[in-house]
């Protein structure tokens, strides 16, 4: 118990009565650790849950770069490069052009898995978030802990992806590894928005599957992933501009192979993603406060 | 007099236009065992949630352990053990893990939580299920685990919302025993239950709530004295006869209640009433004289399924 605890207790309107002050200070001390580290306790819980499907996590983290880089990067790339030459797109080989986009997409894939059904589960099907909320934990810390744990899985997935990109010789740039962090930012920026949306759902009557089909899949197709955005007709290009995946992909390319774009545009990518992350995070926390307060 | 650990004054909870808790007031002293009784939908769980600092009151005053739940939620919750009406164990984790993660939420170190978890598994008689998936437990075992989980921290007050629903008699008695011991150590208990024998066993004092309002308050013995007679005569005439007979025994005892399947006559002497009935030429199929219980108080006060 510190002087600070007693101070907080005094704020609580404690009378000068020293016994009462003592019990209040004890209460403040009892909750102090959770007030500070609560988000990490939630993350700890989520890691234990992830351990129960660790095999899936590892299998997709290793399997998808292998499959995609091989099928797209080697198979499709030989077709494109064969037709357009070694500097097929953007002045680089098709594999080099494509790999950073696939990396960012892999972060989006983790996000669309971890920020949907597990969230629905915790609020509705197996309401563990209500259980957490009955302890010293606060609603916002539940969201923080989820974001921390998903970020860890995303970082692992993207790092493995990057290693395969190196193995396939898809990263000529010296700063290529920064693309991993860009992918992480992209996945989280998109993910917290998905999470916030999921929290607004009282029940899942197909909305999550619809989102997968009508938001995530089109986003992957129209975000300059497989071909540069400016090949699209102008009336479709806005999809890219609002898509976090496009911003993340473009920024990744800057680091992965030194794609040239104005510096202000790179800054816009970072700011846009950071803004989405902040908005989604705060929104999700607010919705959680409201939803847990029954 | 020691300062109360719960002070509720005119406590109200409204969901849109619906008033779930409609201005209730009560106080609970430290170490006391306090019960909330009432029919389904009376507002017991809602009251529990407000006291548990997870549901914001609409109006009124509330102080829990000397603190206002608005603004000091974590401080209050750190000293509570909570058994919610609906289990919310993590089905994706194993039995012992459920206790571990929950203990961590109170900021307790790993080693301490591990030790507590083992003790509580023993208490809940789930030692040999420690590594089982929660999903594979029986309903009663899940309930026992939820109760064990509520005891993982150093609590000053335990909130039990229908704790023994689904427990077998043995498990129920083990729980009662444990609760008595906690009470001896000075833990305050707040209990809701639909088992009147449990309320009589556990509660020093209780309130009967109906439609969000307090109908009566007192110790179980108190309430029986105030709201019921010494004895009750229960007679059955068969469901088709009940209504007809009811007319003929008005004025018997202190009060007569006609239930769908039987008639209750409240009186100081059940035998006397039965003799009167026989004298009037009435032949019940079965008859039973018993002491008055909290159940009679409950039925009288909340008046559900009574044809008055
Ligand atoms: N989140 C909510 N939104 C709207 N209405 C609610 C909500 N929670 C409870 N209610 C309503 O408030 C009333 C009181 O509910 P509560 O759960 O407190 O009853 P209870 O006394 O615990 O009943 P039971 O014995 O069945 O558990 C009910 O009519 C219920 O429908
Ligand atoms: Mg209830």
């Amino acid at each position: 118990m510190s002087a600070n605890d007693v101070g907080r207790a005094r704020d609580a309107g404690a009378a000068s009565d020293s016994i009462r002050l003592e019990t209040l200070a004890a209460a403040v001390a009892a909750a102090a650790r959770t007030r500070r580290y609560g988000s990490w306790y939630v993350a700890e819980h989520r890691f234990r849950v992830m351990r129960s499907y660790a095999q899936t996590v590892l299998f997709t983290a290793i399997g998808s770069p292998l499959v995609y880089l091989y099928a797209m990067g080697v198979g499709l790339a030989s077709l494109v490069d064969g037709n357009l030459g070694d500097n097929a797109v953007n002045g680089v080989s098709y594999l080099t052009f494509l790999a950073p986009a696939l990396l960012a997409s892999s972060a989006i894939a983790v996000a669309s898995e971890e920020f949907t059904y597990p969230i629905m589960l915790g609020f509705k099907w197996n309401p563990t978030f209500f259980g957490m909320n009955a302890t010293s934990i606060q609603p916002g810390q539940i969201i923080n802990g989820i974001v921390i744990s998903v970020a860890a899985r995303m970082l692992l997935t993207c790092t493995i992806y990057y290693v395969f990109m190196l193995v396939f010789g898809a990263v000529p740039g010296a700063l290529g590894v920064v693309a991993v962090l860009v992918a992480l930012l992209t996945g989280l920026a998109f993910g917290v928005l998905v999470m916030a949306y999921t929290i607004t759902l009282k029940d899942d009557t197909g909305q999550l599957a619809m989102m997968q089909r009508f938001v995530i899949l089109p986003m992957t197709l129209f975000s300059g992933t497989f071909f540069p955005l400016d090949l699209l007709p102008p009336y479709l290009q806005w999809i890219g501009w609002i898509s976090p995946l496009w911003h993340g992909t473009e920024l990744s390319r800057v680091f992965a192979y030194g794609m040239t774009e104005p510096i202000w545009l790179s800054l816009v990518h970072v700011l846009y993603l950071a803004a989405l992350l902040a908005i989604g995070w705060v929104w999700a926390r607010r919705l959680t406060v409201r939803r847990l307060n029954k | 007099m020691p300062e109360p650990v719960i002070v509720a004054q005119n406590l109200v909870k409204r969901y849109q236009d619906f008033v779930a808790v409609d201005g209730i007031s009560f106080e609970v002293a430290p170490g006391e065992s306090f019960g909330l009784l009432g029919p389904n939908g009376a507002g017991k769980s809602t009251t529990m949630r407000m006291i548990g600092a997870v549901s914001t009151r609409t109006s009124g005053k509330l102080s829990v352990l000397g603190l206002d739940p608005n603004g000091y939620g974590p401080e209050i919750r750190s000293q509570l053990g909570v058994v919610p009406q609906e289990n919310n164990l993590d089905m994706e984790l194993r039995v012992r893990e459920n206790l571990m993660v929950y203990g961590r939420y109170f900021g307790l170190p790993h080693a301490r939580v591990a030790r507590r978890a083992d003790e509580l598994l023993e208490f809940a008689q789930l030692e040999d299920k420690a590594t089982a998936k929660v999903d594979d437990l029986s309903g009663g075992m899940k309930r026992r685990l939820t109760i064990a989980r509520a005891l993982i921290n150093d609590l000053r007050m335990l909130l039990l919302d229908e704790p023994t629903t689904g427990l077998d008699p043995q498990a129920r008695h083990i729980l009662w025993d444990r609760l008595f011991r906690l009470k001896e150590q000075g833990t305050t208990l707040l209990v809701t239950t639909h088992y009147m024998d449990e309320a009589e066993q556990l509660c020093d004092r209780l309130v009967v709530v109906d439609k969000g309002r307090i109908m009566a308050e007192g110790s179980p013995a108190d309430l029986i004295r105030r709201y019921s007679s010494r004895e009750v005569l229960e007679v059955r005439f068969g469901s088709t006869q009940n209504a007809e007979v009811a007319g003929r025994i008005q004025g018997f005892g202190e009060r007569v209640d006609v239930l769908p399947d039987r008639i209750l006559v409240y009186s100081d002497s059940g035998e006397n009433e039965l003799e009167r009935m026989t004298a009037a030429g009435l032949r019940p199929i079965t008859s039973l004289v018993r002491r008055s219980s909290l159940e009679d108080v409950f039925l009288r006060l909340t008046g559900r399924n009574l044809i008055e």
Side-chain angles (χ1 to χ4, degrees):
Chain A
M1 197 185 307
S2 66
N4 192 21
D5 296 336
V6 178
R8 277 190 69 89
R10 198 169 274 128
D11 293 343
S16 53
D17 173 11
S18 67
I19 294 173
R20 189 164 171 210
L21 196 60
E22 194 92 342
T23 50
L24 293 184
V28 171
R33 282 187 71 82
T34 305
R35 271 202 188 265
R36 193 162 315 144
Y37 302 115
S39 304
W40 297 99
Y41 299 150
V42 175
E44 205 178 299
H45 183 160
R46 304 303 297 177
F47 286 137
R48 273 184 193 268
V49 173
M50 278 184 194
R51 200 162 63 186
S52 69
Y53 58 89
Q55 276 160 324
T56 317
V57 170
L58 282 178
F59 186 79
T60 50
I62 295 170
S64 63
L66 213 56
V67 169
Y68 282 96
L69 286 174
Y70 191 80
M72 301 284 174
V74 181
L76 187 61
S78 64
L79 182 73
V80 176
D81 295 348
N83 279 313
L84 300 172
D86 274 349
N87 304 329
V89 197
N90 235 298
V92 290
S93 76
Y94 189 61
L95 177 62
T96 306
F97 168 79
L98 187 62
L102 291 181
L103 173 64
S105 300
S106 76
I108 296 284
V110 171
S112 60
E113 188 183 321
E114 289 282 354
F115 287 120
T116 51
Y117 292 99
I119 303 298
M120 209 66 207
L121 194 68
F123 278 109
K124 173 98 187 172
W125 299 322
N126 175 197
T128 52
F129 299 161
F130 288 90
M132 297 177 190
N133 191 47
T135 70
S136 321
I137 292 286
Q138 292 163 271
Q141 293 176 322
I142 298 175
I143 295 305
N144 295 350
I146 291 168
V147 173
I148 292 168
S149 62
V150 177
R153 176 180 171 188
M154 214 178 262
L155 188 60
L156 176 76
T157 301
C158 292
T159 306
I160 292 175
Y161 218 107
Y162 186 72
V163 169
F164 277 101
M165 282 162 63
L166 291 178
V167 171
F168 278 81
V171 195
L175 286 175
V177 71
V178 179
V180 172
L181 298 180
V182 174
L184 182 65
L185 177 63
T186 309
L188 291 179
F190 177 68
V192 288
L193 290 171
V194 170
M195 170 162 64
Y197 170 69
T198 307
I199 299 171
T200 65
L201 299 178
K202 285 273 161 280
D203 202 355
D204 175 35
T205 48
Q207 294 94 328
L208 294 180
M210 298 264 277
M211 181 170 64
Q212 194 72 39
R213 212 160 299 155
F214 296 110
V215 178
I216 297 174
L217 187 65
M219 180 174 79
T220 312
L221 293 176
F222 296 108
S223 292
T225 312
F226 300 103
F227 48 88
L229 192 63
D230 47 27
L231 289 189
L232 276 181
Y235 62 87
L236 279 182
Q237 288 186 12
W238 62 270
I239 301 179
W241 299 331
I242 61 166
S243 156
L245 183 56
W246 179 73
H247 289 276
T249 297
E250 293 293 285
L251 194 57
S252 291
R253 285 179 174 142
V254 171
F255 291 108
Y257 62 84
M259 184 188 84
T260 47
E261 70 171 10
I263 185 88
W264 65 262
L265 188 53
S266 298
L267 261 175
V268 167
H269 297 323
V270 176
L271 290 177
Y272 184 71
L273 292 173
L276 290 188
L277 179 61
I279 291 167
W281 200 322
V282 170
W283 186 28
R285 285 174 53 114
R286 290 211 179 141
L287 289 168
T288 303
V289 168
R290 222 175 301 151
R291 185 140 180 202
L292 292 180
N293 189 346
K294 287 227 301 191
Chain B
M1 201 195 119
E3 195 143 340
V5 284
I6 302 175
V7 181
Q9 281 170 11
N10 252 316
L11 195 56
V12 173
K13 179 73 185 187
R14 201 174 296 135
Y15 296 108
Q16 284 92 40
D17 321 332
F18 182 77
V19 186
V21 175
D22 193 5
I24 66 175
S25 306
F26 60 88
E27 292 191 356
V28 178
E32 195 177 16
S33 172
F34 189 82
L36 291 169
L37 303 189
N40 295 137
K44 304 179 297 293
S45 299
T46 307
T47 304
M48 283 283 211
R49 282 199 296 272
M50 288 191 278
I51 292 168
V54 294
S55 174
T56 310
R57 62 186 184 270
T58 307
S59 66
K61 273 197 190 157
L62 181 63
S63 148
V64 181
L65 299 167
L67 295 166
D68 185 335
N70 296 345
Y72 287 87
E75 282 70 24
I76 293 170
R77 296 195 297 269
S78 71
Q79 304 182 79
L80 301 182
V82 179
V83 178
Q85 184 169 358
E86 306 283 345
N87 294 335
N88 52 33
L89 299 162
D90 194 326
M91 299 294 174
E92 291 173 296
L93 294 183
R94 287 163 201 283
V95 170
R96 189 168 178 279
E97 281 184 304
N98 259 279
L99 298 175
M100 294 290 297
V101 294
Y102 212 74
R104 293 286 289 153
Y105 285 138
F106 294 96
L108 304 175
H110 275 291
R112 173 108 162 275
V113 171
R115 204 166 352 103
R116 288 290 290 156
D118 292 331
E119 288 167 17
L120 289 169
L121 283 176
E122 194 192 325
F123 153 67
Q125 298 184 298
L126 290 170
E127 298 113 305
D128 49 343
K129 295 281 184 186
T131 56
K133 282 249 177 190
V134 172
D135 227 2
D136 296 339
L137 297 183
S138 76
M141 288 175 179
K142 283 184 194 139
R143 201 63 189 148
R144 268 146 50 189
L145 183 58
T146 303
I147 294 167
R149 190 183 68 169
L151 300 173
I152 197 115
N153 57 326
D154 303 311
L155 48 128
R156 288 180 58 201
M157 180 152 74
L158 186 56
L159 309 185
L160 302 140
D161 198 347
E162 301 186 25
T164 58
T165 303
L167 292 192
D168 63 33
Q170 192 204 9
R172 177 179 299 196
H173 281 278
I174 290 173
L175 176 66
W176 288 354
D177 179 59
R178 176 73 177 219
L179 294 179
F180 281 124
R181 273 189 284 154
L182 278 171
K183 200 161 129 46
E184 276 169 13
Q185 293 160 21
T187 310
T188 308
L189 305 179
L190 188 66
V191 192
T192 77
T193 179
H194 289 300
Y195 302 111
M196 296 300 132
D197 57 330
E198 183 163 275
E200 288 198 52
Q201 280 274 339
L202 288 179
C203 302
D204 300 327
R205 208 155 54 85
L206 52 86
V207 288
V208 178
V209 186
D210 193 13
K211 302 197 181 84
R213 289 166 184 265
I214 291 180
M215 310 300 288
E217 174 176 348
S219 69
D222 235 21
L223 290 171
I224 293 170
R225 216 171 309 128
R226 236 184 306 153
Y227 293 98
S228 194
S229 52
R230 206 171 67 89
E231 291 186 341
V232 183
L233 167 66
E234 291 197 13
V235 284
R236 289 169 205 265
F237 291 91
S239 50
T240 49
Q241 303 278 310
N242 264 359
E244 188 214 316
V245 173
R248 296 175 55 188
I249 58 168
Q250 282 310 326
F252 276 50
E254 294 167 22
R255 202 161 54 85
V256 176
D257 276 347
V258 183
L259 305 186
D261 65 325
R262 60 194 199 274
I263 297 175
L264 305 183
V265 181
Y266 297 86
S267 167
D268 268 347
S269 164
E271 285 301 337
N272 286 353
E273 300 305 327
L274 188 57
E275 276 168 29
R276 246 177 104 185
M277 221 172 260
T278 326
L282 293 168
R283 299 243 143 57
I285 302 168
T286 64
S287 66
L288 167 77
V289 176
R290 58 168 176 80
R291 296 188 68 84
S292 221
S293 73
L294 209 48
E295 189 140 348
D296 301 305
V297 176
F298 186 91
L299 289 176
R300 163 114 190 244
L301 287 171
T302 61
R304 296 290 149 89
N305 68 32
L306 296 184
I307 312 158
E308 297 238 301

